[in-house]
Amino acid sequence: TSPVRFIRRKEYFLAKFDYLSPRFQTFFQLKLHDGGFLEYNGEIIGSRRQEGLRDSLPGVFPSVGGVGTHSASPVALKVLDNLLGYASSFTADEIDGWMGTLAPELKCTEAYRALEEKIAVYKETAKGEKFIDFRVVDLNGKEGMLSDYVQPGKYNLLEVWASLCGHCRVEVPHLKILRKKYGDRFNIIAVSTDRTDKEWRKAMNADKPNYLQLRAVKDDKGKDVGDYYRLRGIPYSLVIDGEGRIVSENGRGAKLDVLLEEQYGK
């Protein structure tokens, strides 16, 4: 298993443990200990109250996530590229810190310069940065911007999905429960990437979500949510605080539950 794939698997287990069947837990040798510490295949991989990817990195890659250990290897550039593609798990300062671990001899290479260009993009959606606005259309066909729907003074969830995405739609029941639990204190903004209005409405009629529904459309520059957030896939979610700053990327399942409990209490 590659280091990056191992990190993603650990993050998934930490966030989704409550939803995993006993048979699944047994197969992967998962055990939950006091304090929320999760054991995977005989190793404690972290606490379920950790933020996820960022907190699990040092355990997988020793010495500043392991890049420092092999900071002169060209592979380190690829590792950082993969890790920092999930930029919202890190602050801009943390991203700069990771880049600073690379050996000087790598900084004169084409691969490093290419990574630098990507880093400038990644930092736009880093933790603590303002969310990026994009164009949407509502159920009445009225066009607007995401910022028209992000509410100040409370947590907002941007949930990007599509009607043909099974992994997206399986999240709907959980979001409906959270909407009912927290009410107006938690603003859920679902944005579909469906190109046609028909498929979008068909999925909503079937799932009956109880939170805001919008659809992403291209703006005058020909860009949409996928372009601005450099989406690698969906579902994609972003927790935005009351000041419009990014709190967490891909907050869903148990990870989202913890974020909301820390903000609002159980």
Side-chain angles (χ1 to χ4, degrees):
T1 302
S2 71
V4 172
R5 184 176 299 174
F6 183 60
I7 289 171
R8 292 174 184 164
R9 179 176 291 178
K10 287 174 56 175
E11 183 184 23
Y12 176 84
F13 288 157
L14 285 166
K16 294 286 189 179
F17 182 80
D18 289 340
Y19 302 93
L20 302 178
S21 68
R23 184 178 178 182
F24 188 98
Q25 294 174 20
T26 300
F27 180 82
F28 282 101
Q29 300 182 49
L30 296 171
K31 296 179 182 179
L32 188 62
H33 297 273
D34 292 341
F37 290 98
L38 188 63
E39 178 182 329
Y40 164 39
N41 198 26
E43 175 192 350
I44 298 296
I45 60 174
S47 168
R48 291 175 61 244
R49 295 190 63 83
Q50 288 180 339
E51 187 171 332
L53 178 61
R54 180 181 62 179
D55 292 328
S56 65
L57 288 177
V60 180
F61 296 118
S63 178
V64 196
V67 176
T69 308
H70 306 286
S71 62
S73 169
V75 176
L77 295 171
K78 183 61 177 176
V79 171
L80 274 184
D81 188 10
N82 278 299
L83 296 180
L84 297 180
Y86 298 87
S88 301
S89 297
F90 308 90
T91 66
D93 286 343
E94 286 171 332
I95 292 175
D96 287 338
W98 285 85
M99 289 294 287
T101 66
L102 296 173
E105 54 264 36
L106 286 180
K107 298 182 180 182
C108 61
T109 64
E110 283 294 326
Y112 179 86
R113 285 190 283 272
L115 180 58
E116 267 194 320
E117 293 179 3
K118 289 184 177 181
I119 291 300
V121 173
Y122 293 158
K123 288 168 72 172
E124 293 178 1
T125 56
K127 183 177 180 180
E129 299 300 309
K130 288 280 190 178
F131 72 89
I132 302 174
D133 218 358
F134 58 88
R135 186 170 293 178
V136 293
V137 61
D138 68 13
L139 287 167
N140 297 316
K142 179 182 177 182
E143 289 196 2
M145 302 296 291
L146 175 66
S147 56
D148 297 330
Y149 301 94
V150 173
Q151 299 178 8
K154 65 180 69 173
Y155 268 18
N156 299 263
L157 176 70
L158 167 63
E159 177 76 4
V160 183
W161 69 288
S163 62
L164 295 179
C165 172
H167 291 295
C168 301
R169 295 177 65 178
V170 77
E171 299 290 339
V172 174
H174 184 224
L175 293 179
K176 289 167 72 172
I177 291 171
L178 293 179
R179 174 61 180 168
K180 185 175 181 180
K181 178 179 181 179
Y182 292 101
D184 291 337
R185 292 182 295 167
F186 178 47
N187 183 36
I188 303 175
I189 308 168
V191 176
S192 169
T193 60
D194 283 302
R195 295 304 181 194
T196 67
D197 190 78
K198 180 181 178 180
E199 292 301 317
W200 175 41
R201 291 179 183 274
K202 181 179 178 181
M204 286 187 292
N205 289 335
D207 297 341
K208 296 178 172 55
N210 57 356
Y211 44 89
L212 179 65
Q213 298 292 318
L214 304 169
R215 186 166 64 88
V217 293
K218 292 187 179 295
D219 58 21
D220 296 337
K221 299 178 182 178
K223 294 184 178 181
D224 60 15
V225 58
D227 300 306
Y228 286 114
Y229 284 89
R230 276 78 182 181
L231 298 187
R232 297 185 174 191
I234 54 173
Y236 173 84
S237 63
L238 206 64
V239 178
I240 301 168
D241 69 14
E243 295 180 352
R245 296 190 180 279
I246 296 169
V247 175
S248 177
E249 182 182 56
N250 286 329
R252 58 175 52 89
K255 182 178 180 180
L256 180 57
D257 291 341
V258 170
L259 281 172
L260 294 175
E261 288 175 5
E262 289 176 344
Q263 178 71 9
Y264 298 115
K266 294 185 179 180

